[in-house]
Amino acid sequence: MPPKAKEERSAELRKDLHYGEVDFRWSAERLLGHFNITTESGLSLAQYEANLAKFGRNALTPPAIVPWYIKFAMQFANFFAMLLLGGSVLCFIGYSIDSEKDPTNLYLGVVLFLVVMITATFSFLQEAKSEAIMEGFAKLIPKQCHVTRAGQMIVVDAGELVPGDLVTLNDGDQVPADICLVKASEFKVDNSSLTGESEAQDRTAVCSQGVSTAFEAENLCFFTTIVTTGQGIGVVVGTADNTAMGQIAGLATETSTKDSPISIEIAKFIHLISIVAIVLGVTFFAVGMVLGTGVIKNVVFMIGIIVANVPEGLLATVTVSLALTAKRMHKKNVLVKNLEAVETLGSTTIIASDKTGTLTQNRMTVQHCWYDNQIFRTPAGKNNQHWKELMSAPVPTGEANYNAADPTFAKLQMVATLCNNSKFLTKAEDGSVFTMVEGMKDPKFNMLGLSCTGDASEVGITKCMECLEDVAVYRARYPEVFQIKFNSTNKWQLSIHEQPNKADPLVVVLKGAPERVIDNCKYIMFNGKKLELTEELKDEFVAAYEELGGLGERVLGFAYSELPASFDKNFAYAQKPTNFPSDDLIFVGLLALIDPPREGVPEAVEKCKRARIKVFMVTGDHPITAQAIAKSVGIIDEHVMKAGNAVVIKGDDIREWEAITDPVARQAKWDAALSHQQIVFARVSPAHKLQIVENNQRRGEVVAVTGDGVNDAPALKKGDIGVAMGIAGKDVSKEAADMILMDDNFASIVNGVEEGRLIFDNLKKSICYTLTSNIPEIGPFLIFITIKLPLPLSTVMILMVDLGTDMVPAISLAYEEKESDIMDRAPRNAATDRLVNRRLISFAYLQIGVMQALSGFFTYMVVLNDYGYAPWTLMGIGLEFEKYSLMCTVLGNGQPDDCGYGCDEPDDFEGTIDGYNFKDKGNNYEYCKNGGCKIPFDSSVNTIDPFIEFGVVYNNETERWVSKGFRGHSKHNPCKRTCEWFKELTTAEKNVSAGILLEGEAAKFVSYCYLDGTTNITENALQYLKGRDEAADQSDSRAKEGAYYWWGGRQQFFPNKDYQANALAYAQTSYFISIIVVQWADLLIAKTRKLSLFDQGLANGFMNFGLFFETALGAILIYVPIMNIVFNTRPLHILHWFPGIPWSILIFTYDEVRKYLMRRDPKGWIERFTYW
């Protein structure tokens, strides 16, 4: 769909529902005339075919579905995945062009690729919401219905309906389309899934004057709602997408979801850390190239720096942490569908809560009664014992409970019990049948949770009366003789009963709208006495009625009278008109019902206030009812309302705002309303709910939306987090939501807020813990490039930390318990309170990270020193340390002084070139290879090779030739000597006095290079007689004249590269172990952000396991022989674990002091600059 068309459709969906040319306010005659039909014939077959071609089938339009492979490919499009894939590719390239085929790059590339694949696969499996939502809507669509076409009533699939079809609806039917009634008899529909109204709604064939919206029209029945009672005939006015359900489905599927706050935070962090990694990597690659380091070596360095900067285990840690929290929340009756939703709930600033079933119990309950001119509280118990406890307990509001022994109340009980068709369903799930009498004796029995027949009000009254006496037993004493059912015309219900004493006259009982009941009364009962109903007493009745109505309660009146003796049970009683006295009744009282707040909701709302979270009620119910419930649970406080900071906003108000064409003025209206501290939205449509969410999000709020009905699906999807009800919730709302409350309890949302804040805290702690090891990982590469220290930590060892030893401890922080002030803080400000802020970076990198790096370097130098390589000799020799043997000059005390490298290994040019055999030129001149040239010992014969690194001098006292060490890189430089070089020397330069050649070397060159004149060697053959070249890339790493090979802590005549490589491997291993040792302290200090560890304790068992795990894994990686081969580790001496311990103690002490100073001086300098 083009963007403009999409925008127009989105705007249209947000408008009030309409049906094209048809106006639902038309009379039945005009509606039938518009479609050219009658109530007897319906559409003709030709008309049906024409309308089917015009409007299409009655089926919701499914959203466009993206193929699974495209969705999977999109998982690799995020910056973090691309960065790691890029690093993996660089590793493979480095391995392919490396002549020595070092497997390190290959291993590294494979690991990085696997990290990306596993993460992408997990993310892919989390998605598929849009299709699931539409499947949920499809489940709601009725299968078949009764239609009159061409004068015949037929049964057709609901999908075949078209506008103009004449549909017959009966009790229990699901409405198959949006239908405008033309005939109705005692007709009621359950609109709760669409509007949130608890009571079934009356429907007639006439639309009242003044109705402006479809949802308020009494003559409309909506697609998928249920007919509860009565019969009706109606004309289909809307099908498929052009229905109330279609509008909601369109809103749900077109509504775009925002990224969750945690995903935004993680994305920002990844971008930041990735940019730092790339900039550092490229910078030091360039520095290396300038310094003349080889391309392959520079690529490896760059990969190392990038890998060290990027916490490869972060996404896995975050995912596992969220999953663990979701598991913990499941134990608190919260099912988490979208893992990131856990943290979003913790960031929530506004909870837009549905009323029915979330804040309230979704069952009408008798709240108050009025008799003897006094209002009493009417508690409903779960069983006899519970009811007695409630009756004897003090009432928090100061109201008095009713007294069951009062004679007037006894008559009220009689009328309420008898004039009532509701019955308990006493069949258990296992098929067994129980009795209410026995059940009510059980202290664990919950009568309030049982299902009953009848409408919501009758069920509430029945459950109230059951506490006094079993209603079935009571009714059995008063057999029913005659009944007139409730209807919308009379607005009352009447029945006639025998009395327990058969000699007593029959009794008439009446229940209904108080104003209708009082009209049928001539008397009123006060204190058990029958009094004439005077105007003064009627005024008192009106005052009580209005007071209870003002509380948002549904008020019913009750009356009775005894019939004259001439009316017995055999009399033929008539309904229309009545043929017995029914207008001289005795008024006994009022019962007021309301869908009461759930237990724990007021406390949960109070908790939200403490946490500075606004709770808005959003309902389709009446404003007075909504306001009453809001006050009872604390969403609206009386003092706040009097101060003008609380408001009840009606759907009509929103319509007026949306009708404003100027967007600035329209937004100003919304902003003025949403700036109130406490808000209740009443009589709102599904589109209004969506607009409420969108406008709050526009203002920068993080909105959690709760709902259970189909109408809630768009808002649930649009909210930053959608919370559906598990018991009363429709499948559609559950599919659109991110979380499901298994107990439908608002208090569980507040538990979720607490858990969400805890997961943010714990993720912060986990990231802080993870980032501190970045500096000791990056440091070795920076030092390696800048001051040319032998590389203290390999890239494979970095992955051993990031994906090995650090993983379990980082995850263990998800198990950390909340800190005491977690629900007393304001919701985090997404603009300032970041997951990773500058204070956390400063703490992790510049404070703890630096200490860890120093610990690593200290341990590394201790180990190298133990292997004979003193710290002061290491600078400048790092680039060649793993390739060439080190040479050092020695001080008088035997300590090494200045170290560097001599010559490169010689080229192997054995063989015959142009007829000349170079394989053997005599024992004295054998060319050395594979490990260095032969070094002369004291000898009586000068066996010097002109290309050898070490020179000799004749000792006159001993009369022997002795070694004088490395000849140096100056005039005697053996590294630059070739046969071509010797040929180009002048006769004077070949003289020993020139200082270029030693005594006898000229003759050796002549012989070795076939320059004695006996044979004319070709220029082609001569070029194969090369020298060694210099091993040192830079002048500062060249060995000094007189230097000897150095290993084992002393001068040596022969090189030993294996010893040197092993010494470095041991030192690198010790650096790796030192990271583990200091991470012990880091894990402990990350447990709290301000509290002392001694206050928080070590109750986190999984963290204690994490400490053991990282230590054990570190030991396995260095002491298991196969690991030494795979990761190039070495089995350290136990003493080499200890150099990091003082640094670990320093880190712990530093942080405890820092936290103490923060607690001592809140909002002081330390807290402002170091509290992360």
Side-chain angles (χ1 to χ4, degrees):
M1 185 183 291
K4 187 174 181 181
K6 192 174 181 180
E7 190 176 321
E8 289 174 355
R9 171 172 161 76
S10 178
E12 187 65 27
L13 286 170
R14 283 161 174 74
K15 293 179 180 178
D16 282 331
L17 184 64
H18 59 86
Y19 301 103
E21 299 174 354
V22 177
D23 189 336
F24 57 82
R25 289 167 292 199
W26 285 349
S27 65
E29 293 76 16
R30 184 172 179 185
L31 183 64
L32 293 168
H34 175 79
F35 288 105
N36 195 23
I37 60 174
T38 67
T39 54
E40 291 76 29
S41 64
L43 291 174
S44 67
L45 294 179
Q47 286 176 309
Y48 168 73
E49 293 295 340
N51 286 358
L52 182 63
K54 180 178 180 182
F55 298 105
R57 282 180 53 80
N58 183 26
L60 300 176
T61 303
I65 297 175
V66 179
W68 68 268
Y69 50 87
I70 298 294
K71 287 182 180 178
F72 185 70
M74 290 301 292
Q75 304 303 323
F76 298 91
N78 69 76
F79 192 77
F80 186 72
M82 289 191 288
L83 178 69
L84 292 185
L85 282 177
S88 177
V89 170
L90 284 175
C91 288
F92 291 136
I93 292 173
Y95 175 73
S96 64
I97 63 177
D98 184 4
S99 58
E100 298 180 8
K101 297 299 178 189
D102 181 0
T104 301
N105 283 337
L106 179 62
Y107 298 155
L108 187 58
V110 170
V111 169
L112 293 178
F113 179 76
L114 287 177
V115 167
V116 176
M117 282 298 296
I118 292 169
T119 305
T121 302
F122 186 84
S123 298
F124 170 72
L125 295 175
Q126 295 296 309
E127 297 185 357
K129 278 180 88 174
S130 185
E131 296 89 334
I133 290 173
M134 284 309 299
E135 287 170 12
F137 279 112
K139 291 177 185 176
L140 294 171
I141 297 172
K143 298 293 183 286
Q144 293 184 321
C145 56
H146 293 83
V147 179
T148 301
R149 285 193 195 139
Q152 290 186 331
M153 181 178 288
I154 56 175
V155 177
V156 300
D157 287 338
E160 297 177 13
L161 288 181
V162 297
D165 261 330
L166 197 68
V167 178
T168 300
L169 298 170
N170 293 297
D171 187 357
D173 284 351
Q174 195 172 19
V175 180
D178 279 12
I179 293 173
C180 197
L181 294 174
V182 294
K183 287 185 180 180
S185 174
E186 311 300 329
F187 198 82
K188 285 189 175 184
V189 288
D190 179 5
N191 281 350
S192 58
S193 65
L194 281 178
T195 63
E197 294 164 306
S198 304
E199 290 278 343
Q201 302 298 303
D202 291 320
R203 284 295 178 261
T204 67
V206 180
C207 181
S208 299
Q209 290 186 350
V211 171
S212 58
T213 65
F215 284 103
E216 295 177 355
E218 301 100 321
N219 61 335
L220 272 179
C221 302
F222 299 111
F223 195 16
T224 74
T225 57
I226 306 292
V227 179
T228 57
T229 59
Q231 293 180 329
I233 297 174
V235 177
V236 174
V237 293
T239 57
D241 294 340
N242 192 34
T243 59
M245 178 61 62
Q247 184 187 42
I248 294 167
L251 285 169
T253 52
E254 96 39 72
T255 299
S256 59
T257 53
K258 290 175 61 179
D259 288 335
S260 68
I262 193 67
S263 65
I264 292 171
E265 288 298 320
I266 292 172
K268 286 178 179 176
F269 166 62
I270 288 171
H271 285 158
L272 171 66
I273 212 75
S274 301
I275 290 168
V276 170
I278 292 170
V279 169
L280 277 176
V282 171
T283 300
F284 282 93
F285 177 83
V287 170
M289 293 302 293
V290 170
L291 295 176
T293 311
V295 174
I296 294 176
K297 190 175 288 187
N298 272 317
V299 168
V300 173
F301 296 160
M302 181 173 71
I303 293 169
I305 290 174
I306 290 174
V307 169
N309 268 283
V310 177
E312 292 80 8
L314 173 66
L315 289 187
T317 301
V318 169
T319 301
V320 173
S321 298
L322 291 172
L324 288 171
T325 305
K327 185 178 179 181
R328 190 161 60 224
M329 288 182 70
H330 189 264
K331 294 179 181 178
K332 297 182 179 181
N333 291 316
V334 180
L335 176 64
V336 180
K337 289 175 58 192
N338 179 359
L339 294 180
E340 292 177 354
V342 181
E343 193 284 324
T344 305
L345 198 52
S347 308
T348 296
T349 58
I350 288 175
I351 298 176
S353 178
D354 189 29
K355 176 183 73 68
T356 307
T358 308
L359 298 171
T360 65
Q361 298 176 21
N362 196 22
R363 57 171 175 251
M364 295 298 285
T365 305
V366 178
Q367 195 83 354
H368 292 98
C369 61
W370 177 83
Y371 65 90
D372 293 345
N373 200 25
Q374 188 174 348
I375 293 176
F376 296 96
R377 182 172 172 269
T378 314
K382 299 176 182 177
N383 48 67
N384 291 338
Q385 180 179 321
H386 184 233
W387 175 73
K388 290 174 183 176
E389 291 171 357
L390 291 175
M391 290 295 286
S392 60
V395 182
T397 58
E399 298 171 299
N401 289 332
Y402 68 90
N403 184 354
D406 289 340
T408 308
F409 184 82
K411 290 299 183 184
L412 180 58
Q413 177 191 357
M414 178 191 75
V415 181
T417 304
L418 299 179
C419 195
N420 190 330
N421 293 320
S422 176
K423 296 178 182 178
F424 284 101
L425 299 176
T426 55
K427 190 172 183 179
E429 291 182 2
D430 59 2
S432 61
V433 177
F434 59 90
T435 64
M436 290 300 298
V437 174
E438 292 301 317
M440 290 296 286
K441 294 177 183 177
D442 183 358
K444 297 181 180 178
F445 187 70
N446 183 10
M447 174 266 294
L448 298 176
L450 294 180
S451 298
C452 298
T453 61
D455 66 31
S457 295
E458 288 197 333
V459 170
I461 294 170
T462 298
K463 290 181 176 180
C464 178
M465 297 302 130
E466 183 70 24
C467 296
L468 300 165
E469 182 180 349
D470 181 61
V471 292
V473 173
Y474 195 102
R475 289 169 185 168
R477 296 204 307 271
Y478 292 84
E480 184 178 283
V481 175
F482 176 74
Q483 181 180 143
I484 300 176
K485 289 187 176 182
F486 180 92
N487 62 67
S488 55
T489 305
N490 294 335
K491 292 191 181 299
W492 48 253
Q493 176 183 344
L494 178 147
S495 59
I496 300 174
H497 299 260
E498 297 180 53
Q499 297 203 56
N501 185 348
K502 303 304 179 184
D504 290 340
L506 300 183
V507 63
V508 176
V509 289
L510 183 74
K511 171 193 73 179
E515 67 276 11
R516 296 294 179 91
V517 173
I518 201 78
D519 286 344
N520 285 355
C521 296
K522 291 183 179 178
Y523 307 96
I524 189 168
M525 181 171 283
F526 266 55
N527 299 319
K529 296 179 181 179
K530 175 181 172 182
L531 302 177
E532 187 175 344
L533 185 60
T534 63
E535 287 300 321
E536 183 180 347
L537 290 174
K538 192 175 272 191
D539 289 343
E540 291 174 355
F541 152 79
V542 171
Y545 178 24
E546 289 179 349
E547 182 177 347
L548 292 172
L551 296 175
E553 299 175 9
R554 186 185 182 197
V555 187
L556 294 174
F558 297 83
Y560 84 102
S561 72
E562 292 182 342
L563 289 174
S566 58
F567 293 90
D568 60 14
K569 63 179 182 179
N570 298 316
F571 182 79
Y573 295 95
Q575 179 175 339
K576 291 182 180 180
T578 56
N579 59 353
F580 56 90
S582 61
D583 57 356
D584 59 349
L585 308 182
I586 304 167
F587 192 85
V588 292
L590 300 170
L591 290 181
L593 300 94
I594 198 166
D595 185 3
R598 282 181 170 274
E599 291 182 17
V601 168
E603 294 80 3
V605 172
E606 184 58 35
K607 215 171 183 180
C608 286
K609 289 178 182 175
R610 277 203 346 260
R612 271 88 91 192
I613 299 171
K614 294 180 180 180
V615 181
F616 294 167
M617 180 190 288
V618 184
T619 180
D621 217 337
H622 194 280
I624 293 176
T625 306
Q627 183 174 330
I629 293 294
K631 285 183 177 179
S632 67
V633 299
I635 289 177
I636 285 184
D637 297 316
E638 193 64 40
H639 68 278
V640 177
M641 181 157 261
K642 287 179 179 177
N645 289 325
V647 65
V648 177
I649 298 171
K650 298 184 284 294
D652 288 339
D653 299 327
I654 297 176
R655 287 186 190 91
E656 290 177 8
W657 302 343
E658 289 300 312
I660 300 171
T661 54
D662 181 6
V664 176
R666 185 168 60 247
Q667 282 189 12
K669 286 286 187 183
W670 275 104
D671 290 340
L674 296 177
S675 62
H676 286 84
Q677 185 180 338
Q678 298 175 340
I679 307 176
V680 169
F681 294 92
R683 281 284 188 249
V684 294
S685 68
H688 292 157
K689 289 188 177 185
L690 186 59
Q691 288 163 341
I692 291 165
V693 174
E694 288 174 336
N695 278 280
N696 275 299
Q697 288 176 332
R698 174 181 57 80
R699 289 165 54 85
E701 306 284 3
V702 178
V703 185
V705 181
T706 76
D708 58 357
V710 177
N711 59 325
D712 298 313
L716 285 169
K717 189 179 176 189
K718 181 63 179 176
D720 294 284
I721 174 171
V723 184
M725 305 300 114
I727 300 172
K730 302 296 182 185
D731 287 346
V732 177
S733 64
K734 293 176 187 177
E735 293 295 349
D738 302 294
M739 296 169 64
I740 299 172
L741 303 184
M742 304 309 292
D743 58 357
D744 289 12
N745 196 342
F746 179 82
S748 298
I749 300 176
V750 181
N751 290 335
V753 171
E754 201 166 66
E755 288 291 342
R757 292 188 173 189
L758 175 60
I759 194 62
F760 185 81
D761 273 9
N762 287 350
L763 275 177
K764 235 180 188 319
K765 294 171 184 177
S766 182
I767 288 174
C768 182
Y769 169 80
T770 305
L771 288 184
T772 49
S773 60
N774 271 19
I775 292 299
E777 290 173 354
I778 298 168
F781 288 92
L782 303 186
I783 295 299
F784 179 63
I785 292 292
T786 53
I787 64 174
K788 303 183 184 70
L789 214 64
L791 185 63
L793 191 70
S794 68
T795 50
V796 169
M797 288 182 179
I798 290 172
L799 289 180
M800 285 162 56
V801 173
D802 289 352
L803 298 176
T805 59
D806 265 2
M807 284 292 283
V808 172
I811 292 168
S812 74
L813 285 162
Y815 288 88
E816 195 60 35
E817 292 298 319
K818 64 180 181 290
E819 295 181 48
S820 55
D821 65 340
I822 197 165
M823 285 302 283
D824 294 326
R825 310 177 202 155
R828 72 178 183 87
N829 186 331
T832 57
D833 192 4
R834 294 282 173 75
L835 186 65
V836 179
N837 54 30
R838 58 183 178 80
R839 293 187 299 278
L840 189 146
I841 292 290
S842 168
F843 179 78
Y845 279 12
L846 303 182
Q847 297 168 55
I848 306 303
V850 167
M851 292 185 212
Q852 289 196 0
L854 291 174
S855 169
F857 286 119
F858 175 73
T859 305
Y860 159 84
M861 289 187 175
V862 165
V863 173
L864 276 182
N865 188 68
D866 287 352
Y867 280 91
Y869 299 100
W872 60 84
T873 65
L874 299 177
M875 288 180 59
I877 65 171
L879 298 179
E880 301 88 3
F881 194 81
E882 296 180 67
K883 189 173 182 181
Y884 302 110
S885 295
L886 191 66
M887 293 180 178
C888 296
T889 56
V890 182
L891 298 172
N893 60 2
Q895 292 290 323
D897 179 22
D898 199 331
C899 299
Y901 301 98
C903 302
D904 194 358
E905 294 300 320
D907 292 330
D908 184 1
F909 58 90
E910 292 181 354
T912 301
I913 305 296
D914 291 346
Y916 297 96
N917 181 18
F918 298 115
K919 183 174 182 180
D920 186 8
K921 188 63 179 170
N923 290 331
N924 289 343
Y925 310 125
E926 182 177 335
Y927 200 89
C928 55
K929 61 181 184 295
N930 298 332
C933 292
K934 180 174 65 179
I935 299 172
F937 291 93
D938 291 355
S939 173
S940 58
V941 181
N942 179 2
T943 58
I944 190 167
D945 184 322
F947 298 99
I948 206 166
E949 292 180 280
F950 280 34
V952 291
V953 64
Y954 188 74
N955 188 320
N956 291 320
E957 295 179 5
T958 62
E959 296 182 347
R960 297 176 71 84
W961 294 89
V962 296
S963 173
K964 55 174 282 185
F966 181 57
R967 291 199 254 183
H969 289 276
S970 56
K971 291 188 293 183
H972 298 289
N973 187 352
C975 306
K976 297 295 185 183
R977 296 181 177 193
T978 65
C979 291
E980 287 288 343
W981 169 82
F982 178 77
K983 280 182 64 179
E984 293 176 2
L985 291 178
T986 63
T987 303
E989 288 172 331
K990 291 177 181 177
N991 195 300
V992 175
S993 60
I996 297 174
L997 299 174
L998 295 176
E999 186 175 344
E1001 280 190 336
K1004 302 288 174 63
F1005 263 111
V1006 169
S1007 175
Y1008 187 85
C1009 297
Y1010 294 90
L1011 301 176
D1012 53 3
T1014 58
T1015 306
N1016 292 320
I1017 189 170
T1018 65
E1019 292 295 326
N1020 181 47
L1022 189 62
Q1023 69 178 338
Y1024 284 92
L1025 294 171
K1026 296 179 179 179
R1028 298 167 60 92
D1029 204 0
E1030 290 183 322
D1033 289 336
Q1034 306 295 329
S1035 59
D1036 59 357
S1037 60
R1038 291 172 180 167
K1040 296 294 185 285
E1041 187 173 352
Y1044 286 84
Y1045 291 112
W1046 182 269
W1047 50 272
R1050 60 191 180 89
Q1051 284 186 329
Q1052 305 283 355
F1053 284 103
F1054 290 97
N1056 191 342
K1057 287 197 296 182
D1058 289 342
Y1059 179 92
Q1060 190 168 302
N1062 273 308
L1064 180 60
Y1066 273 100
Q1068 289 177 337
T1069 303
S1070 72
Y1071 193 109
F1072 162 68
I1073 291 298
S1074 81
I1075 292 178
I1076 293 176
V1077 172
V1078 290
Q1079 284 290 71
W1080 295 342
D1082 187 29
L1083 186 61
L1084 294 175
I1085 68 175
K1087 279 173 68 72
T1088 64
R1089 295 166 66 190
K1090 187 181 285 188
L1091 206 63
S1092 169
L1093 176 67
F1094 299 101
D1095 293 327
Q1096 184 81 348
L1098 294 172
N1100 185 344
F1102 193 74
M1103 177 178 289
N1104 299 334
F1105 169 73
L1107 288 168
F1108 166 78
F1109 173 84
E1110 67 175 334
T1111 309
L1113 181 59
I1116 290 170
L1117 290 170
I1118 69 172
Y1119 291 120
V1120 175
I1122 188 65
M1123 299 299 177
N1124 300 149
I1125 298 170
V1126 174
F1127 298 109
N1128 197 35
T1129 55
R1130 294 294 182 272
L1132 286 184
H1133 190 283
I1134 190 64
L1135 291 178
H1136 287 157
W1137 283 70
F1138 286 89
I1141 291 178
W1143 295 93
S1144 192
I1145 294 170
L1146 172 65
I1147 288 170
F1148 179 79
T1149 306
Y1150 166 81
D1151 195 62
E1152 280 293 315
V1153 171
R1154 181 185 68 87
K1155 289 172 181 172
Y1156 167 74
L1157 294 174
M1158 281 199 297
R1159 295 192 302 274
R1160 192 185 69 174
D1161 183 20
K1163 301 192 183 299
W1165 186 90
I1166 297 291
E1167 180 170 332
R1168 291 199 311 274
F1169 288 94
T1170 69
Y1171 179 61
W1172 46 271

